[in-house]
């Protein structure tokens, strides 16, 4: 008998660890041993029946996970019969508990809650472990029903019971689900923190469902690549574990991730596979969810709207109702009607749509606003359409503002991409250039339109950054030919930990509204400045210009042509930065650069812009990386590149800074860096130079919040994959964007006399990230940096002239234009980002 009990415990722990097929095999061994024992000792029939019933309950769960609802229910009926034969009240409670769990996993939440409530009535008859598991299961149902207060109560009680009684597997799952409750409440940083704490528990439990649920949180945050990575890990584990319900849910989540990435074919593939698996398992509610995703993915395909419309009508008829009961189905039906030109039918479908749920995820709320705006536009109700889009904009902006992490905020912009595009189309249809300008500005660089109220300070993050600096220096100092595989893996792990730690930091922030063109006109006129704001629609580059008070919409060229030209220009700039380039080759590359800059100018600068006026450029995608001051029409002129016109306007000074506090910091490995920072410091009355041996990352981070102007002459690296790990090389290790504290005002003007640090990486949704963009987001008014490699001698000469002009009261953009000597064979690809900055020394 002792061996049977040992096998029963082993089977339960095997199931808890996420290995149901293995658990089933162990149960069958126990049942065979029990049958042999019962044959030899028939007088103990009641005891055997009770033990057998518990074994059948364990087997029921294993077979449900592997084979589906029907098989699991069959085993439960056998268990209940054995329980009744032995008068086992505890087993009856467990049968209700497990039947409820099967029903919730199959999508029948009301029926599952009935079963759990029946089991709760027998709670005191259960063992402590089973009590904790029952509370965990009922809490999960409340979670899926959106009853978050009830869910938290059950889950917290379960976690505490598991902690006090040494049941780590149940504690892990309860804390995991508490994190999911925070996700459903919309608090993504708290949710990610709870997931991290659950994962930190030292318990042998499969992380497959943890990876799945964490991916759902990451998708809501817009971190799609990270979500896909988490889903891939979940899928691999679930395939091994043969947990087919969860594996089907993972396919569905991958389909939803593909939808957000705009990959309709991949979304259809994953959702169709999920639907097939749910159908095999009789998970009808989950099958319906897979249909919703599959229909949404099919709307853009040829014949898709008609097919989706037919399938939705069939599903409604099969359900015996007059209209869809799922709001998402109604929205997709309306989209299908709209695509088919059936505007009246789309309007009718939306008229029957109930109010939004209080716990709907951000993506669902924005989808509702998108569809309602699209239908209103088709019906000619443009005021209604614009109102829906503004509500969607406000919803997204408020959600972004809640998060401290710039990485997370920029990622969330992916949820607003389709709304921004619809807003732009409506503005273009109005034939009002100012409306087009305002539309672009509303959605431009939303993640950077935020004011932090209580920025956090985090010792754990600081410690991780210190470790990363050490590892990065170890890699850099490794002798040629030696392996760096181990420190590289450590570096990648630390970068991942730093990103994830910062995602979980919280503070209170508020979103700043965008400016309208009517508010922008007076400062533009006062400064005799033009603006050009670019956008891409249907793969074509276009722009809105404001020059001499007149606003125009300018059609341009295919985006692919501009992207190819810019890539060639960047390659030529990098080549010309090399000191050892032979003169004949330098002449050939210079000729190529001159030719491509002329072509780039023709593509980007319409004739409506004045040839001699200061210019504010509001770029899209990689246009921030254009060497604007090197275009022939812009040489010697004031050109400022800003993430948005709103940012440019808010960054303007009321008056020039008088006698600014200036620090110039040198990094190692640059022969002229020491001379450069000494010359810069000598230019200013309140200037101070920091030699390379003393320029540590921590001291520079402090200097960035204690001076008005910070000049940095050092090697720089733009990290395309993780832009916030773009770095400035200093003595003792690099400085990253994550190093900059946000509990003090950043320097108004930062000059990065370093390679590549003006580069940005576009993210899905249109936002960009990079060290320069991070500095601007953290409060700098103006950043001067290079968009490619730059020769040391050229950088030194350009920066010396730049500061000499700046110190006489010339603003930063004009000073940079005048400082460049125009020698294309030794180019100075520096750009003035943000707003202009002025000082009087």
């Amino acid at each position: 008998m002792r061996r049977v009990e040992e096998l029963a415990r082993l089977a339960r722990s095997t199931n808890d660890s996420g290995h149901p097929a293995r658990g089933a095999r162990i149960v069958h061994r126990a049942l065979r041993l029990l049958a042999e024992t019962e044959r030899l000792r028939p007088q103990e029939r009641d005891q055997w029946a009770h033990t057998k019933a518990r074994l059948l309950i364990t087997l029921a769960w294993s077979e449900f996970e592997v084979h589906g609802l029907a098989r699991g229910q069959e085993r439960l009926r056998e268990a209940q019969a054995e329980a009744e034969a032995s008068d086992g009240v505890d087993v009856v409670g467990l049968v209700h508990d497990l039947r409820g769990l099967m029903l919730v996993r199959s999508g029948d939440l009301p029926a599952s809650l009935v079963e759990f409530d029946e089991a709760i009535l027998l709670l005191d008859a259960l063992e402590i472990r089973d009590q904790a598991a029952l509370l965990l299961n009922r809490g999960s149902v409340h979670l899926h029903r959106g009853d978050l207060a009830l869910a938290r109560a059950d889950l917290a009680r379960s976690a505490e019971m598991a902690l006090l009684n040494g049941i780590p597997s149940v504690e892990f799952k309860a804390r995991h689900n508490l994190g999911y409750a925070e996700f459903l409440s919309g608090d993504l940083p708290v949710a990610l923190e709870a997931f991290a704490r659950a994962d930190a528990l030292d318990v042998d439990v499969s992380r497959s469902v943890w990876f799945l649920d964490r991916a759902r949180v990451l998708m809501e945050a817009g971190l799609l690549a990270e979500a896909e990575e988490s889903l891939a890990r979940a899928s691999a584990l679930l395939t091994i574990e043969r947990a087919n319900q969860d594996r089907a849910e993972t396919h569905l989540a991958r389909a939803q991730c593909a939808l957000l990435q705009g990959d309709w074919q991949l979304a259809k593939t994953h959702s169709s596979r999920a639907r097939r698996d749910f159908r095999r398992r009789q998970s009808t509610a989950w099958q319906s969810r897979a249909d919703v995703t599959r229909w949404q993915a099919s709307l853009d395909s040829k014949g898709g709207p008609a097919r989706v419309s037919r399938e939705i009508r069939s599903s409604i008829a099969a359900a015996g109702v007059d209209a869809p009961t799922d709001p998402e189905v109604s929205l997709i039906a309306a989209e299908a009607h709209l695509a088919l030109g059936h505007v009246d039918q789309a309007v009718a479908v939306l008229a029957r749509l109930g109010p939004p749920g209080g716990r709907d995820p951000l993506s669902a709320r924005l989808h509702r606003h998108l569809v309602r705006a699209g239908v209103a536009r088709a019906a000619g109700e443009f005021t209604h359409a614009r109102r829906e889009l503004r509500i969607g904009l406000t919803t997204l902006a408020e959600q972004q503002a809640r998060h401290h992490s710039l990485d997370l905020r920029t990622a969330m912009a992916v949820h607003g991409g389709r709304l921004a595009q619809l807003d732009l189309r409506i503005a273009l249809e109005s034939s009002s250039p100012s409306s087009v300008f305002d539309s672009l500005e509303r959605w431009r660089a939303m993640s950077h339109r935020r004011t932090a109220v209580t920025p956090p300070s985090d010792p754990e993050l600081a410690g991780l950054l210190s470790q990363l600096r050490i590892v990065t220096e170890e890699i850099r100092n490794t002798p040629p030919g030696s392996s760096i595989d181990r420190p590289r893996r450590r570096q990648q792990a630390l970068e991942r930990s730093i990103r994830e730690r910062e995602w979980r930091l919280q503070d209170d922030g508020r979103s700043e509204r965008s400016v309208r063109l009517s508010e922008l006109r007076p400062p533009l006129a006062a400064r005799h400045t033009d603006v050009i704001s670019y956008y891409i629609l249907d793969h074509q580059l276009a722009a809105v210009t404001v020059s001499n008070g007149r606003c125009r919409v300018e059609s341009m060229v295919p985006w692919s042509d501009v992207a190819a030209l810019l890539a060639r220009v960047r390659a030529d700039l990098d080549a010309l930065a090399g000191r050892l380039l032979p003169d004949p080759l330098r002449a050939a590359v210079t000729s190529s650069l001159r030719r491509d800059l002329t072509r780039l100018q023709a593509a980007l600068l319409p004739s409506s812009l004045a040839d001699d006026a200061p210019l504010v450029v509001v770029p899209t995608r990689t246009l921030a990386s254009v060497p604007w001051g090197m275009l022939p029409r812009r040489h010697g002129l004031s050109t400022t590149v800003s993430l948005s016109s709103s940012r440019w306007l808010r960054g303007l000074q009321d008056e020039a800074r008088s006698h600014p506090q200036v620090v110039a910091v040198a990094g190692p490995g640059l022969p002229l860096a020491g001379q450069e920072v000494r010359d810069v410091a000598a230019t200013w009355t309140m200037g101070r130079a920091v030699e390379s041996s003393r320029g540590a990352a921590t001291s520079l981070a402090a200097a960035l919040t204690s001076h008005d102007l910070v000049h940095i002459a050092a090697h720089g690296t733009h990290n395309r994959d993780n832009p916030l790990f773009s770095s400035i090389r200093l003595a003792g290790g690099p400085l990253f964007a994550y190093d900059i504290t946000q509990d003090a005002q950043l320097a108004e003007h930062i000059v990065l006399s370093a390679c590549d640090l003006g580069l940005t990486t576009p993210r899905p949704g249109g936002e960009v990230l990079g060290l320069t963009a991070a500095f601007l987001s953290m409060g700098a008014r103006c950043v001067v940096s290079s968009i490619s490699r730059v020769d040391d001698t050229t950088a030194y000469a350009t920066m010396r002239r730049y500061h000499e002009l700046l110190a006489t009261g010339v603003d930063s953009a004009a000073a940079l234009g005048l400082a460049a000597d125009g020698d294309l064979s030794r180019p100075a690809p520096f750009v003035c980002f943000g707003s202009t900055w002025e000082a009087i020394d």
Side-chain angles (χ1 to χ4, degrees), residues 24 140 168 179 235 304 306 398 400 412 475 481 547 563 593 597 616 628 669 838:
S140 300
S235 183
E398 288 176 349
Q400 286 179 304
M412 290 188 75
I475 293 171
S547 180
L593 176 62
L597 285 172
V616 176
W628 292 97
E838 297 175 65

Side-chain angles (χ1 to χ4, degrees), residues 53 56-57 60 69-84 95 99 102:
L56 288 170
I57 287 173
L69 183 61
R71 188 80 161 264
Q73 294 278 38
E74 180 184 345
R75 291 295 188 188
L76 274 185
R77 285 190 290 271
E78 293 178 28
Q80 188 159 6
E82 293 289 344
E84 291 169 353
V95 168
R99 184 176 289 123
M102 290 179 183

Side-chain angles (χ1 to χ4, degrees), residues 357-633:
R359 301 295 184 187
D360 286 351
L362 175 67
S363 52
R365 284 178 281 157
L366 295 182
H367 186 213
R368 178 183 287 253
H369 292 305
L370 174 70
V371 176
R372 295 181 74 93
V375 172
R377 170 200 178 203
E381 299 175 0
F382 295 105
T383 300
H384 182 196
R386 284 190 286 268
R387 183 168 62 248
E388 289 288 344
L389 291 168
R390 305 284 168 77
I391 295 171
L393 170 71
T394 301
T395 300
L396 177 58
E398 288 176 349
Q399 188 71 19
Q400 286 179 304
R402 294 176 62 182
H403 304 304
H404 163 80
S405 169
L406 177 60
D407 190 12
L408 196 153
R409 293 200 310 272
T410 55
M412 290 188 75
V414 70
H415 293 300
R418 294 175 68 194
L419 288 106
Q421 188 178 95
L422 179 58
D423 194 4
L424 178 58
R425 291 187 188 279
I426 291 172
L428 287 166
E429 290 165 1
S430 73
S431 299
S432 167
S434 61
S435 296
V436 177
F437 185 95
D438 290 343
S439 171
L440 291 171
E441 194 61 25
R442 275 193 291 275
W443 298 92
R444 189 82 77 182
M446 288 175 58
S447 63
H448 300 270
R449 293 206 308 260
R450 173 185 182 273
T451 301
V453 179
T454 56
S457 177
D458 187 66
E460 181 179 337
L461 184 62
L464 290 168
L465 285 163
S466 295
Q467 294 178 53
L468 179 61
R469 257 187 292 281
I470 293 169
V471 173
T472 303
E473 283 299 284
E474 179 186 344
I475 293 171
R476 193 182 65 79
N477 293 322
T478 299
S482 301
S483 173
I484 59 170
D485 290 347
R486 186 173 179 180
R488 182 73 74 191
R489 287 193 297 271
R490 176 64 175 152
Q491 181 187 48
Q492 292 168 348
L494 282 167
E495 288 181 355
R496 183 166 56 251
S497 296
I498 289 165
R499 287 188 73 203
E500 293 178 3
R501 179 61 194 164
E502 207 226 6
W503 295 342
R504 305 191 313 255
L505 297 181
Q506 302 177 74
D507 65 3
D508 299 318
R510 59 177 180 269
S511 176
E512 300 172 342
R513 71 174 185 84
S514 63
V515 300
R516 298 173 63 88
L517 181 57
S518 58
E519 300 170 79
L520 199 62
R521 287 184 186 277
L524 288 175
R527 290 164 174 78
H528 307 287
T529 297
D530 290 356
V531 173
I532 183 165
S533 182
Y534 293 94
Y535 63 91
I536 298 168
L537 190 64
D538 300 328
H539 309 293
Q540 290 288 126
L541 181 67
V544 182
T545 62
V546 182
S547 180
N548 261 341
R550 184 175 177 184
C551 186
R552 298 178 179 87
V553 175
E554 303 277 1
S555 297
M556 295 182 172
V557 297
W559 168 248
S560 58
D561 293 354
V562 176
L565 267 175
L566 183 53
R568 291 203 298 270
V569 166
R570 284 281 325 285
D572 287 346
L573 289 172
D574 285 343
L576 291 168
R579 299 176 184 175
L580 304 179
L581 193 67
D583 288 344
L585 186 54
R586 181 174 296 278
V589 176
T590 301
S591 177
S592 169
L593 176 62
R594 180 176 290 106
R595 182 172 58 252
D596 284 339
L597 285 172
T598 302
R599 291 173 178 171
L600 197 58
Q601 171 179 275
L604 295 179
L605 296 181
S607 59
S608 58
L609 294 173
D611 283 330
D612 56 353
L615 179 65
V616 176
V617 175
V618 183
T620 186
R621 295 196 190 172
T622 55
L623 289 187
S625 301
V626 170
W628 292 97
M630 295 178 64
L631 300 181
R633 283 177 61 188

